[in-house]
Amino acid sequence: MRNKDFELLAPAGSLEILKGVIESGADAVYVGGSMFGARAYANNFTEEELLEAIDFAHLRGVKVYLTVNTLIKNSEFSKLYDYLLVYYKRGLDAVIVQDIGVVKAIHEYFPSMEIHTSTQMTVTGADGVRFLSQFGVTRVVMAREVSLAEMKRIHEETGMELEAFVHGALCYSYSGQCLFSSILGGRSGNRGRCAQPCRLPYTVEGKKDEYILSLKDMCGIKALDKLHDAGVYSLKIEGRMKQLEYACGVVKYYRSYIDSKKPVSDADYDRIKALGNRCGFTDRYYFDHNGSDMVTYVKPNFVSNAAEPSPEKRKLSIEGEIVLREGEPGSLTVKRGDVTYKASIEPVSAALKAPLDKKAAIDRINKTGDTDFEFSYIKAQIGENVFVPNGALNKLRRDAISGLCDKLLKKYYRNDARYTDMPGLTALPEYVVKSDAAHDEAINDYTTICSCMTRTQLDTLISYDCFDVFYLDFDMYDRKTLIQQFADDVKCLTKRNKKVYLMLPTIFRADSSDYFVSIAKELDKVSFEGFVVKNYEELYLTENLFTGKKVILDHNMYTFNDVSKSAFFVHGVSGDTVPLELNSKEIMHRNNIGSQMIVYGYYPLMTTANCVHKNTKGCDKKQKLIYLKDRYNKSFAVCNNCKECYNTIYNSLPTMLTKNISKLKEAGIRSFRYSFTIETPKQIKAVMDDKVAEYTNGHYKRGVE
């Protein structure tokens, strides 16, 4: 580390850029390999390049982190161990991971490698950190929307090492909570293939070509002291698809101001802006929940006007001592820091003609060529009448430098990998398996579920006897009267022999968490079945605050593979929801014990901290629908959840899979859910009467790459 207060973490989309950002002052570099990275279209590293990169960085005391931050399918999971093994042995410092199953597997496979959770995990609170720490996680990358005050609290309460984005592009959606590109075009952000629909124009409230979903680029260089006070350790620069000049230039300026601790000059701020930006910079998320001044509103072209010179490769300084005495083996001892290596050649002969010149010998040893090293000092002990051929001196130099390099890198190498077979990774708790076996003995033992978000929807749905289970949304209730209102609804539904779950918010920031903890004892007294959770904060809280309540994972708590499912179920989860991006074939080949499937609903395309309503009309704290219309004249409803302060953008058409229920039953799914969100009572009736005019199959047929 060049600075004990921060780690400056730089992106690298190529070996050339990796070397450049290290020379520019990065303490660590994150890269993508040939698989499992969230930038599928980047110029990712080959195995040979990545091994070279690891060595290059380690010789300079710099760390290398590999992105393994996509959701992984069952068909791919068997490739994970072999893919990472060669890098682990070479000394890869850490992996950046989104999939909880990958976290579990890497912790089992590679015990001495650090695991950093990706911002794709949408961690916004201390309880999410506490949950993930149980899996051996050593660092959490904060959701970009988390404020400095929240980071400070998280660090103080958990002691976890935190990483925060400090510079580069901002997603409009909470990372990991975006299906916009996936549902519309089949290019999934969860699989590294986002097509960036947030950068396109929309018609909003009659105003055409509004770039209402496009955020300015982030620049936190003026907040370095505040980031330090918040307990942030690693400062992450976004940009694995950026050019060399941009990456090196940004690193150079951050390095300078981290080390100097001086206020950022206006001139340097303008120079940083000239390296590249989208309609200017913002650091608003550090201090506020959202803000209209974060949005570009106009076409967000990335503008770069700078021509920062690329850094020159700096060689590593070493010291040498050459000893050449007649009749004794010749030797060259090289030293860097406290590491030394001695190379030898055959015994030195007496000179038959002209003896070896001392200066000539030193000059020959000094010719380090394209190696990583250069001599700062060479001590020479050379006999008066000896001769050593140039070829022998060259070999002595090569052997010495090669030996020193190997010795310097050897401390990073590992040989403690351990393979765990798939049955060991995917095992479910015995009580879950037994429960499923009991269901097998029953005939037509299937459950129909409905979830609703408003009291008007509940009043309509309660009249349908076909529903066995009701998921009642947290947002249906006012905080002051939640306990009583929810208890009344539970009582009403249980009288009709319905089971009731409380469906918690998609995003659970500090204020929501504090409120939830404050009502936990009273809420636990209500006789409902359990909770539907949508984030790691809720998962930790429900499992630790409530006894006897079941916990169901919603679709965005991704169980893309059976290892992920096992990881959750072993920690007490009772059921999960099939992820919305899996197709029918992938559903057939997953473990569906305890899984439910959404067979109707408007899929949520984005969950956002910024508010379309606020940014177009101002904040009046009144929940209503606003519609975005795209260039194909499709309308997307935007619902503002004012109580928890986030937006949800829904697909233009509902997904309808009711005709596929018999096939889903063959896959072992026994619970089928109708997810009602923005529907009116009339629209609900159309769904229940199977008279929906327009709908989509979602990803059921096509899936994602």
Side-chain angles (χ1 to χ4, degrees):
M1 278 294 295
R2 294 182 173 91
N3 186 288
K4 65 180 181 180
D5 295 328
F6 285 126
E7 171 191 87
L8 181 57
L9 175 58
S14 70
L15 184 58
E16 179 189 17
I17 295 175
L18 177 135
K19 292 179 178 180
V21 295
I22 290 175
E23 299 292 3
S24 299
D27 298 305
V29 184
Y30 65 101
V31 302
S34 60
M35 301 175 71
F36 310 130
R39 288 291 183 269
Y41 302 119
N43 184 24
N44 291 310
F45 285 63
T46 65
E47 181 178 298
E48 182 181 2
E49 288 173 332
L50 186 47
L51 291 174
E52 181 181 343
I54 292 170
D55 288 349
F56 182 90
H58 284 168
L59 284 174
R60 291 156 179 80
V62 173
K63 294 183 177 181
V64 177
Y65 308 146
L66 179 63
T67 57
V68 192
N69 54 343
T70 58
L71 300 177
I72 298 181
K73 301 177 183 180
N74 272 334
S75 60
E76 301 165 331
F77 214 99
S78 60
K79 303 172 185 176
L80 180 67
Y81 179 81
D82 289 336
Y83 171 65
L84 290 178
L85 180 61
V86 63
Y87 306 133
Y88 180 75
K89 287 183 175 180
R90 196 65 155 248
L92 178 68
D93 295 282
V95 284
I96 304 170
V97 184
Q98 175 188 9
D99 192 312
I100 193 68
V102 177
V103 172
K104 175 182 177 178
I106 290 175
H107 188 50
E108 292 281 331
Y109 291 154
F110 309 118
S112 58
M113 184 162 61
E114 291 190 6
I115 300 173
H116 301 171
T117 60
S118 168
T119 189
Q120 293 281 122
M121 278 193 165
T122 326
V123 178
T124 62
D127 293 306
V129 171
R130 291 184 181 105
F131 180 84
L132 293 168
S133 66
Q134 300 172 103
F135 291 85
V137 168
T138 53
R139 179 187 296 182
V140 173
V141 184
M142 292 280 90
R144 290 175 173 91
E145 296 78 2
V146 175
S147 70
L148 293 176
E150 289 171 301
M151 293 184 207
K152 182 178 179 67
R153 176 174 171 177
I154 292 167
H155 179 67
E156 289 177 347
E157 290 187 8
T158 68
M160 177 63 75
E161 189 172 279
L162 301 184
E163 179 178 305
F165 280 88
V166 72
H167 197 94
L170 282 173
C171 295
Y172 188 79
S173 177
Y174 281 92
S175 298
Q177 307 299 321
C178 183
L179 299 177
F180 213 145
S181 173
S182 172
I183 297 299
L184 268 62
R187 289 174 54 177
S188 171
N190 284 317
R191 301 275 295 169
R193 293 169 170 83
C194 180
Q196 297 190 328
C198 54
R199 301 297 183 186
L200 297 175
Y202 297 88
T203 299
V204 190
E205 297 291 294
K207 296 181 180 179
K208 291 186 177 181
D209 294 339
E210 288 275 331
Y211 289 84
I212 192 68
L213 306 184
S214 174
L215 297 184
K216 298 175 183 177
D217 279 8
M218 186 176 197
C219 179
I221 197 165
K222 291 184 177 181
L224 294 176
D225 57 337
K226 296 179 178 63
L227 283 156
H228 179 266
D229 292 343
V232 174
Y233 171 68
S234 183
L235 305 179
K236 187 170 198 169
I237 297 168
E238 181 275 337
R240 281 200 293 122
M241 297 182 73
K242 296 291 198 306
Q243 298 301 311
L244 174 70
E245 293 77 12
Y246 172 90
C248 294
V250 172
V251 169
K252 181 186 76 172
Y253 283 108
Y254 275 86
R255 177 82 273 150
S256 173
Y257 282 101
I258 288 171
D259 291 345
S260 71
K261 297 182 172 65
K262 293 178 180 178
V264 179
S265 71
D266 291 340
D268 277 350
Y269 192 75
D270 288 340
R271 291 185 185 103
I272 297 167
K273 190 178 290 186
L275 289 169
N277 71 89
R278 288 178 180 85
C279 303
F281 283 149
T282 181
D283 62 0
R284 185 70 175 265
Y285 275 143
Y286 285 160
F287 308 103
D288 297 300
H289 195 89
N290 52 36
S292 62
D293 58 352
M294 298 177 67
V295 182
T296 69
Y297 291 105
V298 297
K299 191 172 183 178
N301 292 328
F302 184 80
V303 179
S304 178
N305 300 313
E308 289 283 330
S310 300
E312 294 183 6
K313 179 180 177 181
R314 291 174 293 179
K315 292 201 169 192
L316 304 174
S317 177
I318 56 176
E319 298 175 1
E321 181 178 8
I322 184 170
V323 178
L324 301 172
R325 296 191 184 98
E326 184 181 346
E328 298 177 9
S331 69
L332 174 61
T333 302
V334 288
K335 178 180 180 182
R336 177 167 171 79
D338 58 355
V339 178
T340 61
Y341 184 82
K342 181 178 180 180
S344 300
I345 56 174
E346 293 179 354
V348 177
S349 303
L352 298 177
K353 295 181 180 179
L356 179 65
D357 179 72
K358 181 177 181 179
K359 182 178 182 303
I362 292 174
D363 288 345
R364 177 63 55 179
I365 297 298
N366 256 322
K367 292 182 177 180
T368 56
D370 60 357
T371 70
D372 289 299
F373 304 95
E374 64 181 5
F375 286 99
S376 61
Y377 171 78
I378 298 177
K379 179 180 179 181
Q381 298 183 44
I382 299 176
E384 292 183 358
N385 191 40
V386 299
F387 177 76
V388 179
N390 285 340
L393 289 176
N394 289 339
K395 183 178 186 304
L396 189 62
R397 182 192 63 241
R398 288 195 301 268
D399 290 349
I401 290 177
S402 176
L404 177 67
C405 184
D406 289 344
K407 196 169 181 180
L408 287 167
L409 292 172
K410 188 176 181 181
K411 64 180 181 180
Y412 294 98
Y413 296 166
R414 307 184 185 98
N415 286 296
D416 61 343
R418 56 195 186 199
Y419 181 74
T420 303
D421 59 18
M422 289 302 291
L425 289 173
T426 59
L428 295 178
E430 188 176 352
Y431 75 89
V432 175
V433 178
K434 285 184 177 179
S435 175
D436 187 70
H439 281 295
D440 274 338
E441 297 176 2
I443 299 175
N444 296 323
D445 186 16
Y446 300 106
T447 302
T448 305
I449 304 163
C450 73
S451 60
C452 57
M453 292 186 64
T454 69
R455 302 199 67 76
T456 301
Q457 290 174 342
L458 177 59
D459 291 341
T460 302
L461 291 165
I462 202 170
S463 63
Y464 289 94
D465 291 333
C466 60
F467 294 118
D468 308 296
V469 180
F470 279 72
Y471 292 169
L472 305 183
D473 198 277
F474 197 75
D475 197 42
M476 289 171 56
Y477 305 102
D478 185 88
R479 284 190 175 188
K480 294 180 180 178
T481 56
L482 183 146
I483 298 295
Q484 188 57 55
Q485 285 183 317
F486 180 60
D488 290 344
D489 288 342
V490 170
K491 185 176 181 180
C492 176
L493 288 165
T494 52
K495 280 184 177 180
R496 296 169 178 256
N497 295 317
K498 312 295 184 184
K499 294 180 179 179
V500 181
Y501 287 76
L502 183 60
M503 190 164 62
L504 298 178
T506 305
I507 302 297
F508 220 55
R509 301 276 284 270
D511 177 67
S512 304
S513 177
D514 290 343
Y515 167 68
F516 190 66
V517 170
S518 73
I519 65 168
K521 289 184 179 179
E522 289 300 309
L523 187 58
D524 199 26
K525 296 176 183 177
V526 181
S527 299
F528 64 105
E529 287 290 310
F531 299 93
V532 180
V533 302
K534 303 184 181 186
N535 52 66
Y536 292 98
E537 288 73 31
E538 293 166 355
L539 182 53
Y540 183 86
L541 283 172
T542 52
E543 290 185 350
N544 286 274
L545 292 177
F546 297 89
T547 56
K549 304 291 188 193
K550 295 179 180 179
V551 176
I552 307 293
L553 303 176
D554 208 352
H555 61 84
N556 65 325
M557 293 294 283
Y558 297 109
T559 51
F560 244 61
N561 54 73
D562 293 343
V563 184
S564 298
K565 182 163 182 168
S566 171
F568 284 123
F569 274 64
V570 167
H571 276 268
V573 165
S574 302
D576 69 307
T577 305
V578 175
L580 305 182
E581 294 182 290
L582 295 182
N583 63 28
S584 58
K585 183 178 179 180
E586 289 158 351
I587 293 169
M588 289 293 292
H589 290 89
R590 77 189 289 273
N591 185 340
N592 290 308
I593 292 175
S595 295
Q596 62 181 248
M597 182 83 182
I598 295 177
V599 293
Y600 169 80
Y602 283 89
Y603 283 179
L605 301 185
M606 278 188 175
T607 304
T608 76
N610 259 283
C611 179
V612 174
H613 184 104
K614 177 180 179 180
N615 292 343
T616 54
K617 292 190 168 186
C619 179
D620 57 12
K621 297 192 181 298
K622 293 180 180 178
Q623 184 170 311
K624 65 167 293 186
L625 296 181
I626 284 181
Y627 287 86
L628 305 178
K629 189 175 290 186
D630 70 4
R631 63 195 189 281
Y632 301 113
N633 217 30
K634 293 181 179 179
S635 291
F636 304 89
V638 186
C639 181
N640 53 319
N641 181 320
C642 296
K643 292 166 188 169
E644 315 309 320
C645 200
Y646 64 82
N647 273 201
T648 305
I649 302 176
Y650 291 97
N651 197 13
S652 58
L653 293 175
T655 297
M656 193 84 167
L657 299 174
T658 51
K659 294 178 181 178
N660 299 288
I661 287 179
S662 59
K663 187 71 175 177
L664 293 168
K665 288 179 178 179
E666 291 178 19
I669 296 174
R670 294 189 174 83
S671 297
F672 305 95
R673 174 174 152 198
Y674 290 71
S675 176
F676 294 103
T677 51
I678 59 176
E679 292 86 351
T680 63
K682 183 178 179 180
Q683 290 170 323
I684 290 175
K685 187 176 187 303
V687 173
M688 300 312 297
D689 292 342
D690 197 18
K691 293 182 179 180
V692 177
E694 286 188 277
Y695 60 87
T696 174
N697 289 311
H699 277 303
Y700 186 73
K701 291 183 178 179
R702 67 181 181 184
V704 293
E705 290 184 40

